[in-house]
Amino acid sequence: MAGHGGATTLRAVWGPNGPAALPQLPSHLLLESLIAVALSTAQGFLWAGKPLEAIPAALQALRFSSQVFGSGSVQLVPIFLLLAEASTGTGRLRQAAKYLSQAQWIVLQTPDCSAALQSKMYRGLGLFSIAEGNLDQALYHLANDVYLATAEFGLNSVEVSGGYFHMANIFFHQNKMDTANALYTEVSSLWHDWLLSSLQGHQRVLRARAEASPFSEDEEGIEDGMTEARHEEATRVLWAVLKLREQGPLQHPGETARVLHALAMIHYLGLDLAKAQEVGMKAFNLAKQLPQQDSLETIGHLLELINAQFSHTT
């Protein structure tokens, strides 16, 4: 996904004498373009589990962003957080702490800093505390992450789910299974509801296109809110929760069916139809065994959409 594509893009625009392959743009626009490419590359390497490879691209993004926005700008905070995550992933905790301190300093110096950005900062602090083994401190930071994300996006937003997920992992590690189970359930519920809404929006756009005149101008891509970052987060989190539901001490058939349904939706929206069908059938077969079969119709409808898309593409 982003890791390989971003890296390819960066190599394509980065010649031996600098960014000569890029079109002639005003200097600030050129730098902003390079920042976007470098950040995409770094994030892609992190998603691919290659934190060491992420660091050079993130440092390039930091250098260019400092030139464009200034060394104390809030635009640097996400880059410092990315560098902290990558450094933590390589075991360089002292360097990660420095990046986190720089992010914190900028946030404290910015009175109007958004709750969304502060939420990301606290999540970074929480993940760093987990790496240090300080789980109580991690829970404190992650609770702040959840609070700020809720303030910015609402109680039922998927932006809140990341903090819950990492808190659930801590409670699971501490063998506090009731609390972990409740939080994992909340995480899968938030993603399931958001994906249902995204799927419905996706279908509305498809119906509108089918009914439109063939001579009308083609609209832009289907908007379902499924950015690459959100797709990656949802996929990673939901597969992790599914593993716990299927193999761990938190087995619960109803919750397992819901996670499978959510994964089928995300693979369908990501156009991985074979995986969507495989996971969707598992969700359907499991749902048939439940005392309450309210989800059967919804899962069955998704399978119909998948099969119809298969027919359309073959």
Side-chain angles (χ1 to χ4, degrees), residues 156-221:
N156 298 318
S157 64
V158 290
E159 286 81 4
V160 179
S161 68
Y164 283 143
F165 175 70
H166 295 299
M167 292 174 76
N169 289 339
I170 292 173
F171 287 122
F172 183 86
H173 179 76
Q174 294 175 333
N175 205 34
K176 298 177 180 178
M177 294 304 170
D178 288 344
T179 306
N181 179 62
L183 287 170
Y184 285 129
T185 297
E186 182 65 16
V187 169
S188 56
S189 177
L190 288 170
W191 279 113
H192 182 269
D193 291 349
W194 184 83
L195 286 161
L196 267 180
S197 177
S198 296
L199 182 64
Q200 291 163 359
H202 181 92
Q203 292 305 113
R204 283 194 296 270
V205 172
L206 287 179
R207 285 195 296 270
R209 285 186 175 182
E211 295 167 0
S213 166
F215 301 105
S216 62
E217 292 187 8
D218 191 25
E219 298 185 28
E220 294 183 6

Side-chain angles (χ1 to χ4, degrees), residues 268-292:
Y268 170 74
L269 290 169
L271 299 180
D272 187 349
L273 300 180
K275 196 66 178 178
Q277 186 178 58
E278 175 193 340
V279 179
M281 282 304 303
K282 285 184 67 175
F284 189 79
N285 291 331
L286 183 56
K288 284 195 299 185
Q289 303 171 28
L290 300 175
Q292 301 292 329

